[in-house]
Amino acid sequence: MSRLLYSKDEILADHPYAKAHVEAGYRLHGGFDDKGHYISPRTLHRWPAIHAWGNALKTRGHDLVDSSQALMVRGSFPTTEQQKFLLDQGLGQTLWDSLSVTGVIEARGKNLAEATAADFQSIVVEDISQTATGHLNKGLLRAHGLDEGGDASRGEGGHDAMWFAVRDMLFGKHAYPHAVVPDSLARPEMGRLMPQIPPEHERWILLLMNVLMIEVRAENFFNFCTAVMRDPRNFRDRRDVAMHAADLVDRIRQDEAPHVGYLTVVVSELRSFTFKLADGSTVKGASFIDPVWRGMVQWHSVANVDFAREQTRLELEGLLAKKPNGQDLIRQFHSLERKEAA
Ligand SMILES: [Fe+2]
Ligand SMILES: [Fe+2]
């Protein structure tokens, strides 16, 4: 039986690295073993712990919720063929902007490092000390925040710096102005969704589900990035650099896996727990969590993706329209997507 109880220091512990992680002038988190393989930061105990909590949950007769790429029913836009077309048209700034915006959004995740989750033990019947939920404030949120936004006290950049490194490698520093982060679609105000539990606990369940879906969507963008960078028809004058940038994106992807991992286990544990209600009765978490999770998945995988897609379409059409044969280019751009879909 794998261990289920960890100290905060253990959850935050790094592997001993043979070599530090430095790219494009940025000192970054994580490191390499003596064979040159990248090792994600703070995963010495965190990864085995996440697997152990997930297995323990299954042993208790519960499934993990689906947080796979199968949820992303819409393909990426632009498609990889459309991005190639944009690069060919000298519109590298479109990819530069996507990479910059991703870096800025990653940096926002740093808030998790200082956050304290609601005390779930106070409203759950079962002892949760040996679960992922019981470790949210024992290193899991802190490790996640530091992964995203870096650890300034150690002079280490996180994913924000890694995306900027990828961008600078591909295009050169200051190749274009810094991107403006577009407005995202605000989740509609729907009042209390889980009135069975206190507002503070509801807020935390929604936050954890929301972050989980942001992570699932990000993974979709990683696949797009590495496909564009590894395509031999792109960045033809700097293939080595583009291949190396793709490796860096793969390191970010590797770091993200424990985020999807622990959040999936936490959401799954919450639905398995028995909750104490104010009137002294109890209720199974799944009864009020499942509909909310379904709504969150739908929100991120369809509503939000469609909104972002429409914004991007208008922006890209605007750029193409400025070219001498703009209307023709716009037609070509859209036909590439139909070809790929077919
Ligand atoms: Fe990240
Ligand atoms: Fe993440």
Side-chain angles (χ1 to χ4, degrees):
M1 185 75 194
S2 313
R3 185 152 65 104
L4 298 169
L5 190 64
Y6 296 83
S7 70
K8 185 170 190 173
D9 285 344
E10 284 177 321
I11 294 295
L12 291 166
D14 272 323
H15 288 74
Y17 301 123
K19 190 170 151 259
H21 187 196
V22 180
E23 292 289 351
Y26 295 93
R27 168 83 180 90
L28 303 167
H29 67 204
F32 298 88
D33 66 14
D34 53 9
K35 293 185 188 71
H37 295 130
Y38 176 71
I39 307 174
S40 295
R42 296 169 277 272
T43 53
L44 180 63
H45 297 292
R46 187 167 45 138
W47 244 145
I50 293 166
H51 289 305
W53 293 320
N55 287 333
L57 181 69
K58 287 185 216 156
T59 305
R60 291 199 295 276
H62 300 279
D63 288 326
L64 291 175
V65 296
D66 182 13
S67 57
S68 71
Q69 282 299 299
L71 297 181
M72 298 307 298
V73 290
R74 305 278 202 258
S76 62
F77 178 78
T79 65
T80 52
E81 280 304 309
Q82 286 175 314
Q83 183 64 67
K84 177 190 175 294
F85 178 79
L86 294 168
L87 290 171
D88 289 346
Q89 295 300 322
L91 296 175
Q93 187 170 0
T94 56
L95 184 58
W96 165 280
D97 285 351
S98 304
L99 298 169
S100 299
V101 167
T102 303
V104 172
I105 291 172
E106 290 264 25
R108 290 179 186 163
K110 181 158 198 177
N111 292 332
L112 290 172
E114 304 299 331
T116 305
D119 172 16
F120 280 98
Q121 186 64 82
S122 67
I123 59 165
V124 167
V125 173
E126 295 87 358
D127 173 7
I128 66 167
S129 61
Q130 304 205 29
T131 65
T133 308
H135 287 77
L136 285 173
N137 294 329
K138 283 178 75 184
L140 284 178
L141 293 175
R142 178 141 187 89
H144 188 163
L146 295 177
D147 289 353
E148 307 293 16
D151 187 350
S153 73
R154 299 204 297 188
E156 288 176 358
H159 290 166
D160 50 349
M162 288 169 84
W163 284 110
F164 298 143
V166 167
R167 179 197 68 186
D168 294 352
M169 275 178 204
L170 283 176
F171 296 101
K173 261 187 210 243
H174 314 298
Y176 300 101
H178 200 72
V180 180
V181 178
D183 293 334
S184 58
L185 186 56
R187 267 189 294 135
E189 185 49 64
M190 295 195 290
R192 292 294 310 274
L193 295 174
M194 295 174 271
Q196 296 87 342
I197 56 174
E200 170 75 354
H201 294 81
E202 170 175 314
R203 196 177 66 78
W204 266 95
I205 293 178
L206 290 173
L207 185 150
L208 295 166
M209 287 178 175
N210 192 42
V211 175
L212 174 51
M213 281 309 297
I214 290 172
E215 298 275 346
V216 172
R217 282 180 71 184
E219 203 176 323
N220 202 252
F221 181 65
F222 298 157
N223 299 336
F224 166 81
C225 282
T226 52
V228 168
M229 293 169 195
R230 293 197 171 117
D231 187 331
R233 300 168 301 164
N234 294 329
F235 305 105
R236 263 169 294 200
D237 56 340
R238 46 195 192 288
R239 286 305 313 144
D240 290 356
V241 172
M243 292 300 279
H244 188 65
D247 291 343
L248 198 46
V249 174
D250 274 340
R251 288 178 209 156
I252 301 175
R253 185 207 308 269
Q254 189 180 321
D255 298 348
E256 298 293 3
H259 300 170
V260 174
Y262 91 87
L263 289 167
T264 302
V265 175
V266 168
V267 171
S268 308
E269 285 174 350
L270 287 168
R271 61 185 295 286
S272 81
F273 294 153
T274 312
F275 286 79
K276 301 183 231 176
L277 304 185
D279 66 2
S281 62
T282 60
V283 64
K284 276 287 168 199
S287 68
F288 60 89
I289 289 174
D290 285 358
V292 175
W293 171 242
R294 275 195 295 275
M296 187 67 80
V297 169
Q298 174 76 9
W299 165 254
H300 275 282
S301 60
V302 177
N304 212 329
V305 170
D306 287 349
F307 175 84
R309 178 192 186 88
E310 183 58 14
Q311 277 196 319
T312 306
R313 182 183 69 77
L314 291 171
E315 193 187 308
L316 297 178
E317 285 182 354
L319 288 171
L320 290 167
K322 285 189 200 136
K323 300 251 170 199
N325 50 342
Q327 292 311 313
D328 187 43
L329 292 176
I330 290 173
R331 267 191 298 276
Q332 287 182 48
F333 176 76
H334 289 306
S335 78
L336 282 172
E337 188 177 15
R338 284 193 292 275
K339 246 181 240 161
E340 238 170 297

